[in-house]
Amino acid sequence: MAAAWWQEASAFSVMPGGHQLPKFAGGRQVGSALTQAAMVVTGTSKLGKALKKPTGALTVGFEAASSLTSLGDSDLITLSLTLRKNKASAIFCDPAVVAAIAKEQAKAKGNFPGPCPVISLGGVTDEEELAKVQSTGANGVVFSVAKLGHDTVASLAEAAAAKGMDAVWEVASEEEAKAAVEAGAKVILVSASTSVAAAIREVVPKEVVAVARVESMQQGANEVTDARSLKAAGFNSVMLSEACVGDKEDAVYAKWAVEALTSKQSKEFKITGMTGHVNGHYGTGTFEKSQAEVVWLRKTY
C-alpha cells in the first residue's frame, strides 16, 4: 500500500506541537515562514468530504443559474431531487434560487441519498449579506478573490466558519491560490483554463480540496476530456457551469454528465432512457454514444 502523503518524504519541516509541514501537490514543500505557520493541517471541512472521495474518484457538481426562477415550485423541487438522485456532489446556486433548493435538499436528511451540499455562488460582500445567505439554509458560500479582494475574502471566510458554513475561495491564478492557502482555505474553486488550472493545483497542498469550473455542454462533449485532464492534475471535483438553467435538458444533462465524467471508458459510455442525440427527449432502452455525437439543443456550436 502506498504511503500517505505525510509519510512520502524522509525530511519534513516540523512545526510547533509536532505538526509536520505538508508538501504541495507537485511535490514542493512550503517555503516561507508565513506559509509554514498557516499550513498546519486542521482537517477536512464537511463540504470537502462531500467533494473529495476517499477512492480518489472525481466528483461532479452543478451550477444552478438564476434563470431557474422561471420554473414553478414543483419543477424546481423535481430538479433538486433529480440532482440528488444522480449523485451530484454539490449544487452551486445563484443567490436567487439558493433558498428553494436548500429547502428541498434539507428534506432528504436521514434518507438515502442524503442532501447535496448547497453552496451560494457569490452574492455575499459583507457579514450582513452572509447572515441572509445563512438564513436560506445554504451550507456554504463561494467568495471570489478577484471580485472581493484577498483581505475581504479572508474576513468573510472566518465569519462563515463561525456560523458553521463552509467557505469556498474562488481563485484564478497561482498567486491567488497561494494567498488563499496561507489564509487557511480548505476548499478552492479554480476558474481558469484547464492548463492554468493544472498549474494552480501544483501550488496547492493535497489536503486542500480543489474544484475546477468546467463549461457545460461543450461541443464534442469536451467537458469529458477536460474533467479527465483535471483529475490527472490532482483535482477532486468539477463544477459544471450553467448546467441547470430551467429548460428540459437540465435533468437529462445532469444524469449524462455524472455518468460520462466519472466513467472509466475512454471513448464511449452508456446512456439510458434517452433517444435522439441525447437531446432531452425521453425514450426506452440503452445504447452507446460516442462523445462526438452528443448534441444539446440549448447550445449553438
Side-chain angles (χ1 to χ4, degrees):
M1 181 179 295
W5 63 264
W6 60 83
Q7 297 171 323
E8 291 176 350
S10 59
F12 277 75
S13 297
V14 179
M15 301 297 294
H19 294 288
Q20 290 183 324
L21 183 65
K23 294 173 69 179
F24 284 143
R28 297 192 300 276
Q29 199 169 11
V30 183
S32 70
L34 175 61
T35 306
Q36 291 178 10
M39 284 312 302
V40 174
V41 179
T42 57
T44 305
S45 67
K46 292 181 180 179
L47 174 61
K49 291 178 180 178
L51 297 173
K52 182 179 181 179
K53 288 191 175 183
T55 61
L58 190 75
T59 64
V60 182
F62 296 88
E63 178 182 358
S66 61
S67 54
L68 288 174
T69 55
S70 64
L71 296 179
D73 290 344
S74 61
D75 288 337
L76 190 56
I77 288 171
T78 299
L79 175 60
S80 178
L81 174 63
T82 299
L83 291 175
R84 179 168 67 254
K85 288 186 174 181
N86 285 327
K87 302 178 181 179
S89 60
I91 307 174
F92 295 82
C93 299
D94 183 273
V97 297
V98 67
I101 292 179
K103 182 178 179 180
E104 192 286 321
Q105 290 296 326
K107 294 178 181 178
K109 187 175 182 179
N111 296 331
F112 183 83
C116 296
V118 177
I119 311 302
S120 180
L121 196 55
V124 174
T125 60
D126 56 38
E127 290 196 34
E128 182 177 351
E129 291 176 338
L130 179 62
K132 290 180 180 179
V133 170
Q134 182 191 29
S135 70
T136 68
N139 305 108
V141 184
V142 173
F143 300 112
S144 170
V145 175
K147 293 179 180 178
L148 299 175
H150 172 81
D151 291 344
T152 298
V153 173
S155 177
L156 288 172
E158 184 177 354
K163 295 178 181 295
M165 302 175 72
D166 283 300
V168 180
W169 292 63
E170 184 177 13
V171 300
S173 68
E174 293 181 37
E175 291 72 21
E176 289 179 355
K178 289 177 182 178
V181 169
E182 290 181 352
K186 294 182 179 179
V187 182
I188 62 169
L189 170 64
V190 178
S191 296
S193 67
T194 302
S195 59
V196 172
I200 291 173
R201 188 60 175 123
E202 283 287 312
V203 301
V204 174
K206 291 181 180 180
E207 75 272 13
V208 175
V209 177
V211 185
R213 182 189 291 267
V214 173
E215 180 186 353
S216 64
M217 296 186 177
Q218 294 185 42
Q219 185 172 13
N222 199 52
E223 61 262 54
V224 177
T225 302
D226 287 347
R228 288 172 180 161
S229 296
L230 291 161
K231 181 179 182 296
F235 277 86
N236 311 108
S237 184
V238 296
M239 182 202 76
L240 293 168
S241 62
E242 298 184 349
C244 299
V245 300
D247 66 17
K248 65 182 180 180
E249 292 184 316
D250 287 345
V252 180
Y253 181 71
K255 178 178 176 61
W256 174 86
V258 172
E259 292 181 358
L261 272 63
T262 60
S263 171
K264 293 182 180 179
Q265 299 177 28
S266 60
K267 293 184 179 180
E268 294 185 341
F269 37 82
K270 292 182 179 180
I271 301 176
T272 58
M274 304 172 197
T275 62
H277 287 288
V278 198
N279 60 7
H281 299 289
Y282 289 90
T284 59
T286 301
F287 60 92
E288 301 280 348
K289 297 296 288 185
S290 70
Q291 295 172 13
E293 291 180 285
V294 179
V295 176
W296 302 101
L297 298 178
R298 184 191 306 171
K299 293 284 188 173
T300 302
Y301 299 114

